[in-house]
Amino acid sequence: MPQLALDLMTLMGIPEDIPRFYVTEPTTVEQLDVPVMGSSTRLGTNPFYRRYLKTYQENIHTAVKSLIEKAPSHLFYSRSHALRDGGVLGISYFEDRLRKKGFVSCVPEEMSLKMQFAYVMAAEKIIFEEGSAIHITDILSSIPGRTYMLRRRPVGDVFSTSLKPRASAFINLVAPDNVQLLPDRSGNMSPACLSFYKRPDAVSESLVKHGFEIGDFDQEAYRKAERRDLNSAVTKSVFSRVCQRLQG
């Protein structure tokens, strides 16, 4: 079992003396009872399941309480560190502007599970570039802070379906027709696609409209950020492919 799964069950307060059988390979069983699905990214969280999540959340809160007291109140989750796996070219422009206004950039891969929960539970405002970083909230019955999303795909409301019922507020800051997808490094349309905003000034205006004082939109600075992000994505992609060939 991945250590992450074991750590998560400990934080959730699942008693260790309950018999557990980890199925990690093809297995034949005499009878298999599958419970009703409590949560789905596309369908959201069923009301009955939130009662269970509330208990888990209380246990997690107790386990990370000392970290919550020191956690920042404004978070920004971008994919600027992982553009080879998909993201918005130019996102670093908004990341830089928000940092100057007190937002803390979060990279979940560099944070412990406890720290991730503490940050989300303490945050008053969370802005995230659409992606997997926000999946840490899936185990929570409610999200105390206001949540804002910077869309990176023109279609699909997976995250709004999941977050709207549980966040104190959920706002999508980017219109669907403002996103242009680019083929991934294999020439396919996939979750690893890069994208760009056709009207980045509209995104900036949306942030300002919702109370984020990032200043007037700077077209030249934004284009530089786009080029910087593109160079980062291309460099990492090429490096990754070279490594794969050497290992092969």
Side-chain angles (χ1 to χ4, degrees):
M1 285 289 288
Q3 188 61 44
L4 176 68
L6 299 173
D7 292 343
L8 180 58
M9 287 190 288
T10 298
L11 286 175
M12 289 166 64
I14 297 177
E16 295 185 2
D17 58 352
I18 293 179
R20 306 175 189 177
F21 300 92
Y22 300 113
V23 180
T24 59
E25 58 186 20
T27 303
T28 300
V29 297
E30 292 182 2
Q31 180 176 325
L32 181 65
D33 295 326
V34 181
V36 175
M37 184 180 293
S39 181
S40 165
T41 308
R42 296 189 180 280
L43 300 178
T45 304
N46 284 318
F48 83 87
Y49 189 54
R50 289 188 64 182
R51 297 196 302 273
Y52 293 94
L53 294 181
K54 185 175 184 295
T55 298
Y56 298 147
Q57 184 165 344
E58 290 171 353
N59 293 339
I60 294 171
H61 188 278
T62 299
V64 303
K65 186 176 180 180
S66 61
L67 297 175
I68 289 176
E69 296 170 354
K70 303 174 184 178
S73 60
H74 292 70
L75 306 179
F76 184 73
Y77 290 87
S78 85
R79 297 178 61 85
S80 61
H81 65 288
L83 285 170
R84 67 187 178 89
D85 295 318
V88 179
L89 299 176
I91 201 69
S92 60
Y93 170 87
F94 297 114
E95 186 172 12
D96 291 342
R97 290 293 179 102
L98 289 164
R99 275 177 179 170
K100 292 175 181 177
K101 292 300 177 180
F103 274 76
V104 173
S105 291
C106 296
V107 180
E109 297 90 333
E110 299 176 358
M111 302 167 66
S112 68
L113 193 59
K114 281 187 174 182
M115 187 68 75
Q116 291 186 55
F117 277 121
Y119 272 38
V120 170
M121 290 180 172
E124 297 174 9
K125 293 183 179 181
I126 300 173
I127 300 178
F128 71 100
E129 182 183 357
E130 181 182 0
S132 59
I134 206 67
H135 280 316
I136 190 68
T137 63
D138 287 344
I139 200 66
L140 302 180
S141 176
S142 61
I143 305 166
R146 300 175 67 85
T147 308
Y148 304 81
M149 186 174 82
L150 290 166
R151 183 192 296 269
R152 69 183 177 98
R153 287 171 276 216
V155 296
D157 294 302
V158 170
F159 289 92
S160 60
T161 301
S162 175
L163 291 170
K164 270 184 179 179
R166 297 182 293 117
S168 63
F170 176 84
I171 298 170
N172 199 326
L173 295 165
V174 183
D177 63 356
N178 196 6
V179 182
Q180 179 65 56
L181 275 178
L182 299 169
D184 64 19
R185 56 184 175 270
S186 300
N188 302 316
M189 305 307 289
S190 73
C193 286
L194 292 170
S195 58
F196 65 89
Y197 293 139
K198 302 175 186 177
R199 302 180 304 280
D201 56 320
V203 180
S204 181
E205 290 170 4
S206 181
L207 281 160
V208 172
K209 175 184 175 182
H210 288 94
F212 302 103
E213 300 176 358
I214 60 172
D216 296 333
F217 180 68
D218 187 330
Q219 180 79 14
E220 183 179 353
Y222 187 83
R223 294 307 177 197
K224 287 182 179 178
E226 276 189 320
R227 290 192 294 270
R228 182 173 63 244
D229 290 349
L230 179 58
N231 289 335
S232 174
V234 170
T235 300
K236 289 179 179 178
S237 175
V238 172
F239 180 76
S240 175
R241 276 185 280 179
V242 170
C243 286
Q244 289 174 2
R245 288 182 181 180
L246 289 175
Q247 290 172 355

